[in-house]
Amino acid sequence: MSQADGVLRRRPLWSLGLLRSEIGMTFRRWRTLALLAVLAGVPVLVGIAVKIETGDGGSAGGGGGEGGPAFLSQITNNGLFLVFTSLAMTLPFFLPMSIGVIAGDSIAGEATAGTLRYLLVAPAGRTRLLLVKYATTMTFCLVGTLVVALSALLTGAVLFPLGDVTLLSGTSVSFGEGLLRALAIACVVALSLIGVAAVGLFISTLTTSGIAAMATTVGLLITVQILDTIPQLDAIQPYLFPHYWLSFADLLRDPVYWDQLQKNLGLQALYAVVFGSAAWARFTTRDITA
Amino acid sequence: MPQPAAAGPAREHRPAGDRVIETRGLTKAYRGGQLAVDGLDLAVPRGSVFGFLGPNGSGKTTTIRMLMGLIEPTAGSARVLGQPMPGAGRRVLPKVGALIEGPALYGFLSGRDNLWRFDAADPTADPRTRAERVGRAVERVGLAAAAGKKARAYSLGMKQRLGLAAALLQPRELLVLDEPTNGLDPQGMREIRALVRELAADGTTVFLSSHLLDEIEQVCTHAAVMARGRLITQGTVADLSATVLGSRGLGRLTVTTPDTADAVRVLKEQGVTDLEVTEDRVTGELPSEPSPQGHQNPATSPDSPLSSDSPLSPDSLELADLNAALVHAGVRVRAFGTERASLEDVFVHLTGEGFDVAG
């Protein structure tokens, strides 16, 4: 009883222990691994498709969709472009969808399993648990993006030649600098997902059904993506979280165009603040009945 | 931040420190205005094994959730270990082990990893001793052999044990166990009861909710009875049964005999009322003389233990006379005695309804 009688001291680094437990648990789930496998598979499929098409002697056509940068035709010259192409292809849907699954499930999934009540009486603390969940989701954003980039880099290196990189503005930089820019792009892509992660976390605090939270987040993502393409709605489009996503291509210019990049990051920060606060307000006052 | 002298001007002669749980007017209304818990004044003395009794839907779990800071009371206040909840949850909850509405586990983790997870969520838990504490907890609930298995492969009884193990990861001042023997086989139930007694002997207060009357009867020193969100009564188990014993004299007389018709006739002559026959059993109310244990004041018979077969003094003579009368009349008696007053009797008496009726 000696410990119980005395003042129980909180350990200053305890939050890190909880974060480590959370991250470890997230990445041990089959669902997380399956999501990462899907993300890793996209660049391989794209790479093989390009290889087959150009194997016939024709040239790979088109660009990466409307508004997207035309990286596809460059892949046959330089495998590094598979990284840019893959990120441009996964950013509109695959990446945010997987973030939606992780973020949507974060609180609601624990509620569904009933483990939320045991974490809270442990007591993990509601604010701290929310922060840990958000940090874990952000970790997944980074890992997911890096998985896409690395898979693309490996596939590109195997299927295509590597070499100096011709930037969108026409100038040429060394392969080394190209790699650095690829890394920077991966980081920007990961940061672009902050907004959707915050929205997912908020939705997750609203319900006790993990599936419902995931489906709502992903549904919302699709809706917003559609709204972003309707020209009549251009008044609200600058406030939609995916609006500046493809601005990462501006990192491939010389000099770099910062304008859209900054708008993107500012918008993501705004979403993080607004929906993070909403999630906090909701979660710290909610009755845990599950 | 202790509330400004909320202990109040000594409304009881006992200091507030004696109470591990104390609620005043605790009320929870859910959406639609239905009261799940209605003005609860609960007092759990330190060191007791406190049985929290009531049918399903009577507000037990809602009360426990309010005590653990999971839901906010609509009105009233709750103090746990002398501090207000949910405000002081950070300081109080590490000293409380809880099993709330059944176990909840991560199916994809092993039993041991589940405990690691819950321990990591406790800000006061030392990660250096975690492996050892987890090992001891698993040992204590008899789950050592299965601790490496994935929790999704566990039976309900095993999950229940693992939930208990999580509550025992640290030394606790208070254990809140909501239906702890749910899903256990009789052997498991006995083990849990033994564990509860052992913990109580170590000085841990145990707050045990159950709808199983005999479970409460077997391990608890105190009990409270809830029905439809209200507290019907609380006190020592002995006092509660005395309330019933007092009002009913010795309880119902039960005679087992093949000659039920004759038995009924003889007993009626002897003044036994409310006779009922079921197969070979005849039961009835003993003639209620102005007994010394008037139900107006149950405290006068504080020693009558709940589960005794009540061979109480002045009436026992009369019981013997009854039996003699039966035998004289040629009634063959197989068994003869009074039914003990159980908590079930207490409950039915207090609520005027069957125990299984949900509020």
Side-chain angles (χ1 to χ4, degrees), chain B residues 141-215:
Chain B
V141 298
L143 210 59
K149 267 201 220 167
K150 293 260 187 277
R152 91 162 65 79
Y154 279 15
S155 67
L156 179 55
M158 289 161 84
K159 286 180 182 167
Q160 195 80 20
R161 286 163 191 258
L162 197 67
L164 267 171
L168 299 175
L169 282 169
Q170 298 246 59
R172 311 286 193 186
E173 284 183 44
L174 170 65
L175 273 179
V176 175
L177 305 177
D178 192 4
E179 310 272 0
T181 57
N182 211 3
L184 293 180
D185 52 22
Q187 170 64 18
M189 287 187 174
R190 262 197 300 280
E191 284 174 32
I192 297 306
R193 276 184 220 122
L195 184 62
V196 166
R197 288 197 193 98
E198 193 183 307
L199 290 162
D202 291 348
T204 308
T205 308
V206 182
F207 185 81
L208 184 79
S209 103
S210 183
H211 64 277
L212 299 176
L213 295 144
D214 60 334
E215 182 169 287

Coordinates of all heavy atoms in Angstrom, one line a residue, chain B residues 141-215:
Chain B
V141 N -4.8 -14.1 -12.0 CA -6.1 -14.4 -12.5 C -6.1 -15.8 -13.2 O -7.1 -16.2 -13.8 CB -6.7 -13.4 -13.4 CG1 -6.9 -12.0 -12.7 CG2 -5.8 -13.2 -14.6
G142 N -5.0 -16.5 -13.1 CA -5.0 -17.9 -13.6 C -5.0 -17.9 -15.1 O -5.5 -18.8 -15.8
L143 N -4.3 -16.9 -15.8 CA -4.3 -16.9 -17.2 C -2.9 -17.0 -17.8 O -2.7 -16.8 -19.0 CB -4.9 -15.5 -17.6 CG -5.6 -15.5 -19.0 CD1 -6.8 -16.4 -19.0 CD2 -6.1 -14.1 -19.2
A144 N -1.9 -17.4 -16.9 CA -0.5 -17.4 -17.4 C -0.3 -18.3 -18.6 O 0.4 -17.9 -19.5 CB 0.3 -17.9 -16.2
A145 N -1.0 -19.4 -18.7 CA -0.8 -20.3 -19.8 C -1.3 -19.7 -21.1 O -0.7 -20.1 -22.2 CB -1.5 -21.7 -19.5
A146 N -2.3 -18.9 -21.1 CA -2.9 -18.4 -22.3 C -2.5 -16.9 -22.6 O -3.0 -16.4 -23.6 CB -4.4 -18.5 -22.2
A147 N -1.6 -16.4 -21.9 CA -1.3 -15.0 -22.0 C -0.7 -14.6 -23.4 O -0.7 -13.5 -23.8 CB -0.3 -14.5 -20.9
G148 N -0.1 -15.6 -24.0 CA 0.6 -15.4 -25.3 C -0.4 -15.5 -26.5 O -0.1 -15.1 -27.6
K149 N -1.6 -16.0 -26.2 CA -2.6 -16.2 -27.3 C -3.2 -14.9 -27.7 O -3.4 -14.0 -26.8 CB -3.7 -17.1 -26.8 CG -3.5 -18.6 -27.1 CD -4.8 -19.3 -27.1 CE -4.8 -20.6 -26.4 NZ -6.1 -21.1 -26.1
K150 N -3.6 -14.8 -28.9 CA -4.4 -13.6 -29.4 C -5.7 -13.5 -28.6 O -6.4 -14.5 -28.4 CB -4.7 -13.7 -30.9 CG -3.4 -13.6 -31.7 CD -3.3 -12.2 -32.3 CE -2.1 -12.1 -33.3 NZ -0.8 -11.9 -32.7
A151 N -6.1 -12.3 -28.2 CA -7.2 -12.2 -27.3 C -8.5 -12.5 -28.1 O -9.5 -12.9 -27.5 CB -7.3 -10.7 -26.8
R152 N -8.5 -12.5 -29.4 CA -9.7 -12.8 -30.1 C -10.1 -14.3 -30.0 O -11.2 -14.7 -30.2 CB -9.6 -12.3 -31.6 CG -9.1 -13.3 -32.6 CD -9.5 -12.9 -34.0 NE -8.9 -11.7 -34.5 CZ -7.6 -11.6 -34.9 NH1 -6.8 -12.6 -34.9 NH2 -7.1 -10.4 -35.3
A153 N -9.1 -15.1 -29.7 CA -9.3 -16.5 -29.5 C -9.8 -16.8 -28.1 O -10.0 -18.0 -27.8 CB -8.0 -17.3 -29.8
Y154 N -9.9 -15.8 -27.2 CA -10.3 -16.1 -25.8 C -11.8 -16.4 -25.7 O -12.6 -15.8 -26.4 CB -9.9 -14.9 -24.9 CG -8.5 -14.7 -24.5 CD1 -7.5 -15.5 -25.1 CD2 -8.2 -13.9 -23.5 CE1 -6.2 -15.3 -24.7 CE2 -6.8 -13.7 -23.1 CZ -5.9 -14.5 -23.7 OH -4.6 -14.3 -23.3
S155 N -12.1 -17.2 -24.7 CA -13.5 -17.4 -24.4 C -13.9 -16.2 -23.5 O -13.1 -15.4 -23.1 CB -13.7 -18.7 -23.6 OG -13.0 -18.5 -22.3
L156 N -15.2 -16.1 -23.3 CA -15.7 -14.9 -22.5 C -15.1 -15.0 -21.1 O -14.7 -13.9 -20.6 CB -17.2 -15.0 -22.4 CG -17.9 -13.8 -21.6 CD1 -17.4 -12.5 -22.1 CD2 -19.4 -13.9 -21.6
G157 N -15.0 -16.2 -20.6 CA -14.4 -16.3 -19.2 C -13.0 -15.8 -19.2 O -12.5 -15.1 -18.3
M158 N -12.2 -16.2 -20.2 CA -10.8 -15.7 -20.3 C -10.7 -14.2 -20.5 O -9.8 -13.6 -19.9 CB -10.1 -16.5 -21.4 CG -9.9 -17.9 -21.2 SD -9.6 -18.8 -22.7 CE -7.8 -18.6 -22.9
K159 N -11.6 -13.7 -21.3 CA -11.6 -12.2 -21.4 C -11.9 -11.5 -20.1 O -11.3 -10.5 -19.8 CB -12.7 -11.8 -22.5 CG -12.3 -12.1 -23.9 CD -13.4 -11.7 -24.8 CE -13.0 -12.1 -26.3 NZ -14.2 -12.0 -27.2
Q160 N -12.8 -12.1 -19.4 CA -13.2 -11.6 -18.1 C -12.0 -11.6 -17.2 O -11.7 -10.6 -16.4 CB -14.3 -12.4 -17.5 CG -15.0 -11.8 -16.3 CD -16.1 -10.7 -16.8 OE1 -16.5 -10.7 -17.9 NE2 -16.4 -9.9 -15.9
R161 N -11.2 -12.7 -17.2 CA -10.1 -12.8 -16.3 C -9.0 -11.7 -16.8 O -8.4 -11.1 -15.9 CB -9.4 -14.2 -16.5 CG -10.2 -15.2 -15.7 CD -9.8 -16.6 -16.2 NE -10.7 -17.6 -15.7 CZ -10.4 -18.4 -14.7 NH1 -9.3 -18.3 -14.1 NH2 -11.3 -19.3 -14.3
L162 N -8.9 -11.6 -18.1 CA -7.9 -10.6 -18.5 C -8.3 -9.2 -18.1 O -7.4 -8.4 -17.7 CB -7.7 -10.7 -20.0 CG -6.4 -10.0 -20.6 CD1 -5.2 -10.8 -20.1 CD2 -6.4 -9.9 -22.1
G163 N -9.6 -8.9 -18.2 CA -10.1 -7.6 -17.7 C -9.8 -7.4 -16.3 O -9.3 -6.3 -15.9
L164 N -9.9 -8.4 -15.5 CA -9.6 -8.4 -14.1 C -8.1 -8.1 -13.9 O -7.7 -7.3 -13.0 CB -9.9 -9.7 -13.4 CG -11.3 -9.7 -12.7 CD1 -11.6 -11.1 -12.2 CD2 -11.3 -8.8 -11.5
A165 N -7.3 -8.8 -14.7 CA -5.8 -8.7 -14.6 C -5.5 -7.2 -14.9 O -4.6 -6.6 -14.2 CB -5.1 -9.6 -15.6
A166 N -6.1 -6.6 -15.8 CA -5.9 -5.2 -16.1 C -6.2 -4.3 -14.9 O -5.5 -3.3 -14.6 CB -6.7 -4.7 -17.3
A167 N -7.2 -4.7 -14.2 CA -7.6 -3.9 -13.0 C -6.5 -4.1 -11.8 O -6.5 -3.3 -10.9 CB -9.0 -4.3 -12.5
L168 N -5.8 -5.2 -11.9 CA -4.8 -5.5 -10.9 C -3.4 -5.2 -11.2 O -2.5 -5.7 -10.5 CB -5.0 -7.0 -10.5 CG -6.3 -7.4 -10.0 CD1 -6.4 -9.0 -9.8 CD2 -6.7 -6.7 -8.7
L169 N -3.2 -4.4 -12.3 CA -1.8 -4.1 -12.7 C -1.0 -3.3 -11.7 O 0.2 -3.4 -11.6 CB -1.8 -3.4 -14.0 CG -2.1 -4.2 -15.3 CD1 -2.3 -3.4 -16.5 CD2 -0.9 -5.2 -15.5
Q170 N -1.7 -2.6 -10.9 CA -1.1 -1.7 -9.9 C -1.7 -2.0 -8.5 O -2.8 -2.5 -8.5 CB -1.3 -0.2 -10.2 CG -0.7 0.2 -11.5 CD 0.4 1.2 -11.3 OE1 1.4 0.9 -10.6 NE2 0.3 2.4 -11.8
P171 N -1.0 -1.7 -7.4 CA -1.8 -1.8 -6.1 C -2.9 -0.7 -6.1 O -2.6 0.4 -6.5 CB -0.7 -1.4 -5.1 CG 0.5 -1.1 -5.8 CD 0.3 -1.3 -7.3
R172 N -4.1 -1.2 -5.8 CA -5.2 -0.2 -5.9 C -5.8 0.0 -4.5 O -5.8 -0.9 -3.6 CB -6.3 -0.8 -6.8 CG -5.8 -1.3 -8.1 CD -5.5 -0.2 -9.1 NE -5.4 -0.8 -10.4 CZ -4.9 -0.1 -11.5 NH1 -4.6 1.2 -11.3 NH2 -4.9 -0.6 -12.6
E173 N -6.4 1.1 -4.3 CA -7.2 1.4 -3.1 C -8.6 1.0 -3.2 O -9.3 0.6 -2.3 CB -7.1 2.9 -2.7 CG -5.8 3.3 -2.1 CD -5.8 4.8 -1.7 OE1 -6.8 5.2 -1.1 OE2 -4.8 5.5 -2.0
L174 N -9.1 1.0 -4.5 CA -10.5 0.7 -4.7 C -10.5 -0.1 -6.0 O -9.9 0.2 -7.0 CB -11.3 2.0 -4.9 CG -12.7 1.9 -5.4 CD1 -13.6 1.1 -4.5 CD2 -13.3 3.2 -5.7
L175 N -11.3 -1.2 -6.0 CA -11.6 -2.0 -7.2 C -13.1 -1.9 -7.5 O -13.9 -2.1 -6.6 CB -11.2 -3.4 -6.9 CG -9.8 -3.9 -7.2 CD1 -9.7 -5.4 -6.9 CD2 -9.4 -3.6 -8.6
V176 N -13.4 -1.4 -8.7 CA -14.8 -1.4 -9.1 C -15.0 -2.5 -10.1 O -14.4 -2.5 -11.2 CB -15.1 0.0 -9.8 CG1 -16.5 0.0 -10.3 CG2 -14.9 1.1 -8.7
L177 N -15.8 -3.5 -9.7 CA -16.0 -4.6 -10.6 C -17.5 -4.7 -10.9 O -18.3 -5.0 -10.1 CB -15.5 -5.9 -9.8 CG -14.1 -5.9 -9.3 CD1 -13.8 -7.2 -8.6 CD2 -13.1 -5.7 -10.4
D178 N -17.7 -4.5 -12.2 CA -19.1 -4.5 -12.7 C -19.3 -5.9 -13.3 O -18.7 -6.3 -14.3 CB -19.2 -3.5 -13.8 CG -20.6 -3.2 -14.2 OD1 -21.5 -3.8 -13.6 OD2 -20.9 -2.4 -15.1
E179 N -20.2 -6.7 -12.6 CA -20.5 -8.1 -13.1 C -19.2 -8.9 -13.3 O -19.0 -9.4 -14.4 CB -21.3 -8.0 -14.3 CG -22.5 -7.1 -14.3 CD -23.8 -7.8 -13.7 OE1 -23.7 -9.0 -13.4 OE2 -24.8 -7.1 -13.6
P180 N -18.4 -9.1 -12.3 CA -17.1 -9.7 -12.6 C -17.1 -11.2 -13.0 O -16.2 -11.7 -13.6 CB -16.3 -9.5 -11.3 CG -17.3 -9.4 -10.3 CD -18.5 -8.7 -10.9
T181 N -18.2 -11.8 -12.6 CA -18.2 -13.3 -12.8 C -19.1 -13.6 -14.1 O -19.3 -14.8 -14.4 CB -18.8 -14.1 -11.6 OG1 -20.1 -13.5 -11.4 CG2 -17.9 -13.9 -10.4
N182 N -19.5 -12.6 -14.8 CA -20.2 -12.8 -16.0 C -19.5 -13.7 -17.0 O -18.3 -13.5 -17.3 CB -20.5 -11.5 -16.7 CG -21.8 -11.4 -17.4 OD1 -22.5 -12.4 -17.4 ND2 -22.0 -10.3 -18.1
G183 N -20.1 -14.8 -17.4 CA -19.4 -15.6 -18.4 C -18.5 -16.7 -17.8 O -17.8 -17.4 -18.6
L184 N -18.3 -16.7 -16.5 CA -17.4 -17.7 -15.9 C -18.2 -18.9 -15.6 O -19.3 -18.9 -15.3 CB -16.8 -17.1 -14.7 CG -15.8 -15.9 -14.9 CD1 -15.2 -15.5 -13.6 CD2 -14.7 -16.3 -15.8
D185 N -17.4 -20.0 -15.6 CA -18.0 -21.3 -15.2 C -18.0 -21.3 -13.6 O -17.4 -20.4 -13.0 CB -17.3 -22.5 -15.8 CG -15.8 -22.4 -15.5 OD1 -15.4 -21.7 -14.6 OD2 -15.1 -23.0 -16.3
P186 N -18.7 -22.2 -13.0 CA -18.8 -22.2 -11.5 C -17.4 -22.2 -10.9 O -17.2 -21.5 -9.9 CB -19.5 -23.5 -11.2 CG -20.4 -23.8 -12.4 CD -19.6 -23.3 -13.6
Q187 N -16.5 -23.0 -11.5 CA -15.1 -23.0 -10.9 C -14.5 -21.6 -11.0 O -13.9 -21.1 -10.0 CB -14.3 -24.0 -11.7 CG -12.8 -24.0 -11.4 CD -12.5 -24.4 -9.9 OE1 -13.3 -24.9 -9.2 NE2 -11.3 -24.0 -9.5
G188 N -14.7 -20.9 -12.1 CA -14.1 -19.6 -12.3 C -14.8 -18.6 -11.3 O -14.1 -17.8 -10.8
M189 N -16.1 -18.8 -11.1 CA -16.8 -17.9 -10.2 C -16.2 -18.0 -8.8 O -15.9 -17.0 -8.1 CB -18.3 -18.3 -10.1 CG -19.1 -17.8 -11.3 SD -20.8 -18.2 -11.0 CE -21.5 -17.5 -12.5
R190 N -15.9 -19.3 -8.4 CA -15.4 -19.5 -7.1 C -14.0 -18.8 -7.0 O -13.7 -18.2 -6.0 CB -15.2 -21.0 -6.8 CG -16.3 -21.6 -6.0 CD -16.0 -22.9 -5.4 NE -15.7 -23.9 -6.4 CZ -16.6 -24.6 -7.1 NH1 -17.9 -24.4 -6.8 NH2 -16.3 -25.5 -8.0
E191 N -13.2 -19.0 -8.0 CA -11.9 -18.4 -8.0 C -11.9 -16.8 -7.9 O -11.2 -16.2 -7.2 CB -11.1 -18.7 -9.3 CG -10.6 -20.1 -9.3 CD -10.0 -20.5 -10.7 OE1 -9.5 -19.6 -11.3 OE2 -10.1 -21.6 -11.1
I192 N -12.9 -16.3 -8.6 CA -13.0 -14.8 -8.5 C -13.5 -14.4 -7.1 O -12.9 -13.4 -6.6 CB -14.0 -14.3 -9.6 CG1 -13.5 -14.6 -11.0 CG2 -14.2 -12.8 -9.4 CD1 -12.2 -14.1 -11.3
R193 N -14.4 -15.1 -6.6 CA -14.8 -14.8 -5.2 C -13.6 -14.9 -4.2 O -13.5 -14.0 -3.4 CB -15.9 -15.7 -4.8 CG -17.3 -15.3 -5.2 CD -18.4 -16.2 -4.7 NE -19.4 -16.4 -5.7 CZ -19.7 -17.6 -6.2 NH1 -19.2 -18.7 -5.7 NH2 -20.6 -17.7 -7.1
A194 N -12.8 -15.9 -4.4 CA -11.7 -16.1 -3.5 C -10.7 -14.9 -3.7 O -10.2 -14.4 -2.8 CB -11.0 -17.4 -3.9
L195 N -10.6 -14.5 -5.0 CA -9.7 -13.4 -5.3 C -10.2 -12.1 -4.6 O -9.4 -11.3 -4.0 CB -9.6 -13.2 -6.8 CG -8.6 -12.1 -7.3 CD1 -7.2 -12.5 -6.9 CD2 -8.7 -12.1 -8.8
V196 N -11.5 -11.9 -4.7 CA -12.1 -10.7 -4.1 C -11.9 -10.7 -2.6 O -11.5 -9.7 -2.0 CB -13.6 -10.6 -4.4 CG1 -14.3 -9.6 -3.5 CG2 -13.8 -10.3 -5.9
R197 N -12.1 -11.8 -2.0 CA -11.9 -11.9 -0.5 C -10.4 -11.6 -0.2 O -10.1 -10.9 0.8 CB -12.2 -13.3 0.0 CG -13.7 -13.6 0.0 CD -14.1 -14.7 0.9 NE -15.5 -15.1 0.6 CZ -15.8 -16.1 -0.2 NH1 -14.9 -16.9 -0.8 NH2 -17.1 -16.4 -0.4
E198 N -9.5 -12.2 -1.0 CA -8.1 -12.0 -0.8 C -7.7 -10.5 -0.9 O -7.0 -10.0 0.0 CB -7.4 -12.8 -1.9 CG -5.9 -13.0 -1.7 CD -5.3 -13.7 -2.9 OE1 -5.9 -14.8 -3.2 OE2 -4.4 -13.2 -3.5
L199 N -8.3 -9.9 -1.9 CA -8.0 -8.4 -2.1 C -8.5 -7.6 -1.0 O -7.9 -6.7 -0.5 CB -8.6 -8.0 -3.4 CG -7.9 -8.5 -4.7 CD1 -8.8 -8.3 -5.9 CD2 -6.6 -7.7 -4.9
A200 N -9.7 -8.0 -0.5 CA -10.4 -7.3 0.6 C -9.5 -7.4 1.9 O -9.4 -6.5 2.6 CB -11.8 -7.7 0.8
A201 N -9.0 -8.6 2.0 CA -8.2 -8.9 3.2 C -6.9 -8.0 3.2 O -6.4 -7.7 4.2 CB -7.8 -10.4 3.3
D202 N -6.4 -7.7 2.0 CA -5.3 -6.8 1.9 C -5.6 -5.4 2.1 O -4.7 -4.5 2.1 CB -4.7 -6.9 0.4 CG -4.0 -8.2 0.2 OD1 -3.9 -9.0 1.2 OD2 -3.7 -8.5 -1.0
G203 N -6.9 -5.1 2.3 CA -7.3 -3.7 2.6 C -7.9 -2.9 1.4 O -8.2 -1.8 1.6
T204 N -8.0 -3.6 0.3 CA -8.6 -2.9 -0.8 C -10.1 -2.9 -0.7 O -10.7 -3.9 -0.3 CB -8.2 -3.7 -2.1 OG1 -6.8 -3.9 -2.2 CG2 -8.7 -2.9 -3.4
T205 N -10.7 -1.8 -0.9 CA -12.2 -1.7 -0.9 C -12.6 -2.2 -2.3 O -12.1 -1.9 -3.3 CB -12.6 -0.3 -0.7 OG1 -12.0 0.3 0.4 CG2 -14.1 -0.2 -0.6
V206 N -13.6 -3.1 -2.2 CA -14.1 -3.7 -3.5 C -15.6 -3.3 -3.6 O -16.4 -3.5 -2.7 CB -14.0 -5.2 -3.5 CG1 -14.5 -5.8 -4.8 CG2 -12.6 -5.6 -3.2
F207 N -15.9 -2.6 -4.8 CA -17.2 -2.2 -5.1 C -17.7 -3.2 -6.2 O -17.2 -3.1 -7.3 CB -17.2 -0.8 -5.6 CG -18.6 -0.2 -5.9 CD1 -19.3 0.3 -4.8 CD2 -19.0 -0.1 -7.1 CE1 -20.6 0.9 -5.1 CE2 -20.3 0.5 -7.4 CZ -21.0 0.9 -6.4
L208 N -18.6 -4.0 -5.9 CA -19.0 -5.1 -6.8 C -20.4 -5.0 -7.2 O -21.3 -5.1 -6.4 CB -18.8 -6.4 -5.9 CG -18.9 -7.8 -6.6 CD1 -17.7 -8.1 -7.4 CD2 -19.2 -8.8 -5.5
S209 N -20.6 -4.8 -8.5 CA -22.0 -4.7 -8.9 C -22.4 -6.1 -9.5 O -21.6 -6.8 -10.1 CB -22.2 -3.6 -10.0 OG -22.3 -4.2 -11.3
S210 N -23.6 -6.4 -9.3 CA -24.1 -7.7 -9.8 C -25.6 -7.8 -9.8 O -26.2 -7.1 -9.1 CB -23.5 -8.8 -8.9 OG -23.9 -10.1 -9.4
H211 N -26.1 -8.7 -10.6 CA -27.5 -9.0 -10.5 C -27.7 -10.4 -9.9 O -28.8 -10.9 -9.8 CB -28.2 -8.8 -11.8 CG -27.8 -9.8 -12.9 ND1 -26.7 -9.6 -13.7 CD2 -28.3 -11.0 -13.2 CE1 -26.5 -10.6 -14.5 NE2 -27.5 -11.5 -14.2
L212 N -26.5 -11.0 -9.6 CA -26.6 -12.3 -9.0 C -26.6 -12.2 -7.5 O -25.6 -11.8 -6.8 CB -25.4 -13.2 -9.4 CG -25.3 -13.4 -10.9 CD1 -24.0 -14.2 -11.2 CD2 -26.5 -14.2 -11.4
L213 N -27.7 -12.5 -6.9 CA -27.9 -12.3 -5.4 C -27.0 -13.1 -4.6 O -26.4 -12.6 -3.6 CB -29.3 -12.5 -5.1 CG -30.3 -11.6 -5.7 CD1 -31.6 -12.3 -6.1 CD2 -30.6 -10.4 -4.8
D214 N -26.8 -14.4 -5.0 CA -26.0 -15.2 -4.1 C -24.5 -14.8 -4.1 O -23.8 -15.0 -3.2 CB -26.2 -16.7 -4.4 CG -25.8 -17.0 -5.8 OD1 -25.9 -16.1 -6.6 OD2 -25.4 -18.2 -6.0
E215 N -24.2 -14.2 -5.3 CA -22.8 -13.8 -5.4 C -22.5 -12.7 -4.4 O -21.5 -12.7 -3.6 CB -22.6 -13.2 -6.8 CG -21.2 -12.7 -7.1 CD -21.0 -12.5 -8.5 OE1 -20.9 -13.5 -9.3 OE2 -20.9 -11.3 -8.9

